[in-house]
């Protein structure tokens, strides 16, 4: 019964992460990018930033997955979360699913969920500040 309860919690956190990921993508697309463009930041620089940070996320997660298979010194969860937050979490869920890395660790999913909540709250406060 405890195993079923653990699976339910993991499924719940993964579902919340998926919902927040979609919400953050929508907010980045319709709030952050237009406001940065309105602030005279060229649109191409935002795309380049997101591509570079997404590549970094894939590289760091792939490196950690490789180190985990070898049994070597791993990249800390704090660094994984930091690199995910710097990329605005655009590629983190996709990367985790493709590499099957950190998808079963409930404590990591909870920390990632907290970071997503902070990101969405920040974007919503930016939206409120822009339009009120």
């Amino acid at each position: 019964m405890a195993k079923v309860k653990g699976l339910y919690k993991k499924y719940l956190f993964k579902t919340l992460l998926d919902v927040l990921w979609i919400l953050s993508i929508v907010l980045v697309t319709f709030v952050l990018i237009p406001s940065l463009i309105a602030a005279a930041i060229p649109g191409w620089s935002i795309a380049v930033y997101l591509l570079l940070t997404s590549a970094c996320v894939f590289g760091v997660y792939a490196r950690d997955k490789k180190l985990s298979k070898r049994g070597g010194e791993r990249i800390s969860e704090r660094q994984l979360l930091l690199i995910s937050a710097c990329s605005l979490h655009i590629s983190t869920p996709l990367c985790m699913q493709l590499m099957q890395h950190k998808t079963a660790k409930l404590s990591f999913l909870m920390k990632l969920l907290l970071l997503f909540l902070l990101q969405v709250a920040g974007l919503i406060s930016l939206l409120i500040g822009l339009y009120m």
Side-chain angles (χ1 to χ4, degrees), residues 7-66:
L7 287 174
Y8 176 74
K9 283 183 181 178
K10 184 178 137 187
Y11 178 74
L12 175 68
F13 281 110
K14 289 178 96 174
T15 304
L16 286 172
L17 280 170
D18 290 342
V19 168
L20 284 173
W21 179 71
I22 292 168
L23 182 59
S24 67
I25 294 294
V26 168
L27 288 172
V28 164
T29 303
F30 295 108
V31 176
L32 187 63
I33 292 175
S35 63
L36 289 174
I37 291 172
I41 295 177
W44 63 266
S45 64
I46 299 165
V48 168
Y49 172 77
L50 291 174
L51 284 173
L52 287 176
T53 56
S54 294
C56 288
V57 167
F58 274 95
V60 169
Y61 274 77
R63 178 79 176 144
D64 190 47
K65 179 72 173 186
K66 188 176 181 182

